[in-house]
Amino acid sequence: MTPIKELDIIYWPFRVIGNFLYDLLNGLIVKSLGWPGWVVQLIMILLGVTFVVVFAMVTMMFLTWLERKVIGRIQDRIGPNRAGPFGLLQPVADMLKLFTKEMIVPDRADKIVYYLGPAIVVVPAFLIFSVLPFDQSAIIADLNIGFLFIAAIGSTSTIGLLMAGWASNNKYALLGGMRAVAQFVSYEIPQVLSVVGVLLLAGSLQMGKIVDSQAYVWNVFLQPVAFVIFLIASISEINRTPFDLPEAESEIIAGYHTEYGAIGFAYYQLAEFINMFAVSAIGATLFLGGWQEPFGISWLLGFRLVPGIVWFIGKTYLLVFVMIWLRGTLPRLRVDQLMNFAWKVLVPLALVNLVLAGVGISLSDYIFTLIYGAAPKAGYTSANYFAGWWTAVPVFVVLNVMMYFTFRALYRRPKVQRRTVTMVSRPAPSQPVAGGGS
């Protein structure tokens, strides 16, 4: 058995539990029964997949409660408070209702495509969790192309939305599916471009190494513009207000899932809330240091104050709260405003930010070389990554300030013709005269 040190179960819970299960299964299956070692590896993989599915389902149920509570407070309402204490069992009641309702399929719908649509939307949402680094020892598959895997898997959900709209044989659902494709493809471009600068800073596509590269300073301080672009594009990618045009009730009823009810509708709701948590977790990983404590506190002290999983979950839910806050505050955009904002604002801004990220890295390395006579050490450990971070911070601050003022000087908001309301006084109605006259 792997020896357990004091406090390891607190600071490294996944490592301790994983090692314990592996040693237990290895003793029972390999040593006692004489089975091959790959059986243990297969069981560990299945346990990891089970954990991801259960965690995603519980997260979805909690987020439905959290959103209704937060928006209720924003709108001066109480929110769910009947089922269970503080309404915590309301998601369970909603789930039971959706699972027990009859799923009615339109007569002229394409049955195969109709049923495949929700599955194609839900499966990518679960797969993203396989490369999310919850902690240094809690990454199911820390692929060396981690972010590329996320970008490729996340884009496939768009196909499921178009399939749902087309297979329903409903013109409103078809319009919602076409809107979803146009919107998601448009906003995926600035979303990926905003992350390229972070990948240049880390020198890797591996999610774990991107977190390691932020041991001294988080990427949000070096790439604030990229963080804002990523957040806006991600909100649009998961179809949240103010970018929920594929579900504009006043225009196309419920959009691509108009003809879905019961379990089919539940799948789309499941995918939306899981994607909200997933993109928040990706943002926390890429820009907020993931499991890292702020300002390299653990590196300076030589030990951890708070477990990494706590930092990761806290940062993720901070971004989730921002998305819920925006839903309770902002109105929905028009379709032309949505597309113009993507192609005329976010894409050019992301390209300029990418160029400045390359310039900033080159300048910081050049300044470090002038001072020490050698370039910063390569590697991904907190001890040698970005040895010249103190030279990079002022360089990136200057570049970001220059970009902000240049943007303010060049960008002109489109002129919108405003209506003028003129108050016209009207004479008071004549009073009736005694005797019947007026």
Side-chain angles (χ1 to χ4, degrees), residues 54-129:
V54 173
F55 179 82
M57 295 292 292
V58 174
T59 299
M60 179 265 182
M61 296 172 64
F62 176 73
L63 286 180
T64 59
W65 173 86
L66 180 65
E67 182 170 46
R68 294 168 71 178
K69 276 291 187 181
V70 172
I71 293 181
R73 293 298 180 181
I74 292 175
Q75 299 174 348
D76 199 18
R77 295 184 289 106
I78 297 176
N81 64 341
R82 299 292 182 181
F86 306 104
L88 286 172
L89 296 181
Q90 186 63 48
V92 179
D94 295 338
M95 180 183 66
L96 292 176
K97 179 191 70 174
L98 291 173
F99 283 3
T100 54
K101 288 182 67 175
E102 179 184 4
M103 186 173 179
I104 301 174
V105 183
D107 291 335
R108 297 184 179 181
D110 190 325
K111 301 296 191 298
I112 297 178
V113 181
Y114 181 88
Y115 286 116
L116 282 177
I120 293 178
V121 173
V122 170
V123 172
F126 284 105
L127 290 177
I128 291 176
F129 280 82

Side-chain angles (χ1 to χ4, degrees), residues 26-320:
N26 190 61
L28 293 175
I29 295 176
V30 178
K31 296 181 180 179
S32 299
L33 301 177
W35 291 5
W38 61 265
V39 178
V40 177
Q41 298 291 340
L42 179 61
I43 295 176
M44 292 297 294
I45 292 174
L46 293 177
L47 290 176
V49 172
T50 304
F51 169 77
V52 167
V53 173
V54 173
F55 179 82
M57 295 292 292
V58 174
T59 299
M60 179 265 182
M61 296 172 64
F62 176 73
L63 286 180
T64 59
W65 173 86
L66 180 65
E67 182 170 46
R68 294 168 71 178
K69 276 291 187 181
V70 172
I71 293 181
R73 293 298 180 181
I74 292 175
Q75 299 174 348
D76 199 18
R77 295 184 289 106
I78 297 176
N81 64 341
R82 299 292 182 181
F86 306 104
L88 286 172
L89 296 181
Q90 186 63 48
V92 179
D94 295 338
M95 180 183 66
L96 292 176
K97 179 191 70 174
L98 291 173
F99 283 3
T100 54
K101 288 182 67 175
E102 179 184 4
M103 186 173 179
I104 301 174
V105 183
D107 291 335
R108 297 184 179 181
D110 190 325
K111 301 296 191 298
I112 297 178
V113 181
Y114 181 88
Y115 286 116
L116 282 177
I120 293 178
V121 173
V122 170
V123 172
F126 284 105
L127 290 177
I128 291 176
F129 280 82
S130 62
V131 295
L132 288 180
F134 291 87
D135 199 353
Q136 191 171 2
S137 58
I139 310 174
I140 296 178
D142 195 11
L143 305 177
N144 56 358
I145 54 169
F147 179 76
L148 186 61
F149 174 83
I150 291 175
I153 290 297
S155 61
T156 58
S157 61
T158 307
I159 302 174
L161 304 183
L162 183 60
M163 290 171 61
W166 181 82
S168 297
N169 193 28
N170 182 305
K171 59 183 179 181
Y172 297 108
L174 180 59
L175 285 174
M178 295 178 67
R179 276 189 178 186
V181 172
Q183 175 178 329
F184 296 165
V185 170
S186 299
Y187 277 85
E188 190 174 1
I189 296 173
Q191 183 188 42
V192 174
L193 288 176
S194 65
V195 178
V196 176
V198 172
L199 302 179
L200 291 176
L201 288 170
S204 175
L205 292 167
Q206 193 169 344
M207 301 298 285
K209 292 181 178 180
I210 293 175
V211 177
D212 286 336
S213 68
Q214 302 176 70
Y216 296 103
V217 56
W218 295 349
N219 287 328
V220 67
F221 299 110
L222 302 177
Q223 292 278 279
V225 176
F227 174 69
V228 173
I229 295 174
F230 176 84
L231 185 62
I232 294 174
S234 297
I235 294 174
S236 178
E237 282 284 301
I238 61 176
N239 192 25
R240 300 278 301 180
T241 305
F243 305 105
D244 55 338
L245 268 297
E247 299 179 13
E249 297 89 349
S250 59
E251 305 165 23
I252 52 176
I253 312 178
Y256 54 87
H257 57 68
T258 298
E259 299 295 345
Y260 283 88
I263 188 64
F265 176 76
Y267 276 138
Y268 284 111
Q269 289 295 104
L270 174 66
E272 178 178 337
F273 282 98
I274 291 178
N275 283 328
M276 181 170 65
F277 182 87
V279 298
S280 299
I282 295 169
T285 301
L286 297 175
F287 294 96
L288 301 182
W291 68 74
Q292 299 279 7
E293 295 179 345
F295 310 113
I297 295 177
S298 59
W299 177 78
L300 294 173
L301 296 178
F303 62 92
R304 277 186 168 186
L305 291 174
V306 180
I309 183 66
V310 176
W311 283 112
F312 180 81
I313 296 295
K315 296 170 185 177
T316 300
Y317 272 100
L318 175 63
L319 297 181
V320 168

